[in-house]
Amino acid sequence: MGLEPITLAAPHQVRWSFTCQVWRDVVFVHWPCAAREIEAVLPPRTRPDVFDGTAWVGVVGLGMVVTSPLRMRFTEVNVRTFAVDEHGRRGLVFLSLAASHPAFVRLARAVGHLPYRSAAVECSTTATETAYRVERSGIGLSMRIRRRERVAPTSADRFLTARWRMFSTWHRWPVEVPVVHEPWALDSAELLEFTDAGLLGEFGLAPPARPVVRFASRVDARFGRPAPV
């Protein structure tokens, strides 16, 4: 079966959503890595998705407003990579999701089968800069960017941000969760600081090298029902 094309809009609909969310002040820091570095952490029946001949990992910080089924507001930092399932469908795999709202963490783990953990997560902004900091059980990560002008999405931007499902594992079974939202409006950005205090080290990942850095002000998203891959 052929590889799913990358599209700026979701190739599917979500008729029933288990959660609706608003993502604000989204910072993307992605960088290339060897496929062998992430193969072991991917769900069964998936393989690394590659761009420019290499796999990619990323750290994303965002402010989250959950509008259903319950209304919650918190901050999140996640570590993610990119995978393809045996049907050629592209998606995200979250290695770590740290959130500052314990109730949401419990809900996401139970319903979405996602590896959320409660953590102290902070976001700070100035007129030109955005910074995120996360700390959990003695490990953490911090990053700071300078926001710049709006950009037209490059082929790398589309590969790194136009993702319409998440792959995960539930009791050793691979599952996928569909997501829909409007196309990203991306600003270019410069990475000013990045310090890994063990969060990347948990997965044997090195800090960013040749990162692609982007910023988005807001996206409204809906997640569908988890289903077997």
Side-chain angles (χ1 to χ4, degrees), residues 189-208:
E190 176 188 0
L191 185 61
L192 301 177
E193 295 179 7
F194 191 103
T195 302
D196 176 41
L199 193 62
L200 296 179
E202 278 194 314
F203 306 100
L205 298 174

Side-chain angles (χ1 to χ4, degrees), residues 153-168:
T154 65
S155 55
D157 290 331
R158 291 192 289 270
F159 176 87
L160 296 170
T161 64
R163 295 285 161 160
W164 307 112
R165 63 183 56 83
M166 300 177 294
F167 297 124
S168 188

Side-chain angles (χ1 to χ4, degrees), residues 54-66:
T54 186
W56 288 71
V57 295
V59 174
V60 178
L62 65 148
M64 173 91 77
V65 179
V66 179

Side-chain angles (χ1 to χ4, degrees), residues 179-220:
V179 60
V180 296
H181 58 73
E182 68 269 31
W184 289 101
L186 297 172
D187 298 338
S188 63
E190 176 188 0
L191 185 61
L192 301 177
E193 295 179 7
F194 191 103
T195 302
D196 176 41
L199 193 62
L200 296 179
E202 278 194 314
F203 306 100
L205 298 174
R210 295 180 289 123
V212 175
V213 187
R214 294 291 186 260
F215 175 84
S217 297
R218 171 175 175 153
V219 159
D220 295 61

Side-chain angles (χ1 to χ4, degrees), residues 77-91:
V77 170
N78 62 66
V79 182
R80 67 192 207 166
T81 189
F82 306 89
V84 180
D85 71 6
E86 56 192 357
H87 304 292
R89 299 179 302 176
R90 291 181 144 112

